[in-house]
Amino acid sequence: MTVSQDIANAIEVLKKGGVILYPTDTVWGIGCDATNSEAVARVYAIKQREDSKALICLVDSDARLQRYFRVVPNVAWELLDCVVKPTTVVLDDAVNLAPNLLAEDGSVGMRITQEPFSKELCYRFQKAIVSTSANISGEPTPQNFRDISEELLAKVDYVCMSRRQEHHAHTPSSVIKLGRDGEVSIIRK
């Protein structure tokens, strides 16, 4: 199967409200349409995670990120321009996303992916895609595809074929919260 066909298959599932397992710029992710509340609820159920813990989303570009917040502060753009490691920014006043995706304060974490597969997936889907680690809540984050549990693989609607053969260390993104008042909090280095 070509990468292009793999992406097309994943998009077909996302459009129908399904849940996928896919490679990202960090670890393998469980994903769905970030604007679909029912799909987001399924991701929480698959992860056995409380829905009071917000999920991260991936987008392909600055322009797409901007669609999901009332205001993106200048400090966010400055930060994203200088980081080397994949970095998720948590911003206030999220809009145009499934309500059950947001934290209690109305914020959401979003990352602009630069990794070719996930970037093309986000670009072709033309919406934010949920990206949470491919594990049951509380279990170790899998480093590679081979580390993902059979239980989790059986619960999603589509498992991408691309990058399954990789066997090297992957780490989660840094997470930085940028508050309305200019406060900067490092949630995960």
Side-chain angles (χ1 to χ4, degrees), residues 35-182:
T35 67
N36 182 324
S37 295
E38 290 176 13
V40 170
R42 273 198 62 214
V43 170
Y44 282 118
I46 289 168
K47 280 196 65 90
Q48 299 172 24
R49 182 175 175 172
E50 297 172 30
D51 64 5
S52 61
K53 292 186 175 186
L55 300 170
I56 290 172
C57 299
L58 289 186
V59 292
D60 64 307
S61 65
D62 293 359
R64 190 112 39 222
L65 181 134
Q66 209 159 357
R67 290 183 190 176
Y68 297 108
F69 298 97
R70 283 186 176 55
V71 175
V72 177
N74 286 335
V75 69
W77 299 123
E78 292 166 10
L79 174 72
L80 292 171
D81 283 344
C82 71
V83 295
V84 176
K85 178 182 179 185
T87 301
T88 300
V89 292
V90 179
L91 302 173
D92 293 320
D93 300 321
V95 295
N96 304 319
L97 293 166
N100 55 340
L101 184 63
L102 310 181
E104 290 179 8
D105 64 1
S107 67
V108 74
M110 200 161 286
R111 185 168 71 251
I112 301 169
T113 181
Q114 299 303 325
E115 183 274 328
F117 184 89
S118 55
K119 187 174 185 80
E120 184 69 13
L121 178 67
C122 290
Y123 172 75
R124 287 175 50 187
F125 187 56
Q126 297 187 7
K127 292 183 191 178
I129 299 174
V130 166
S131 181
T132 183
S133 58
N135 61 307
I136 304 298
S137 217
E139 292 182 1
T141 299
Q143 292 290 309
N144 295 284
F145 177 78
R146 68 179 178 188
D147 304 323
I148 300 169
S149 74
E150 289 296 324
E151 175 189 2
L152 196 129
L153 289 169
K155 291 183 177 183
V156 299
D157 302 307
Y158 183 73
V159 180
C160 291
M161 298 298 294
S162 301
R163 292 184 45 209
R164 286 189 184 190
Q165 70 289 350
E166 289 179 0
H167 300 293
H168 53 82
H170 293 277
T171 56
S173 68
S174 296
V175 180
I176 300 174
K177 181 164 176 46
L178 305 173
R180 269 185 216 97
D181 55 3

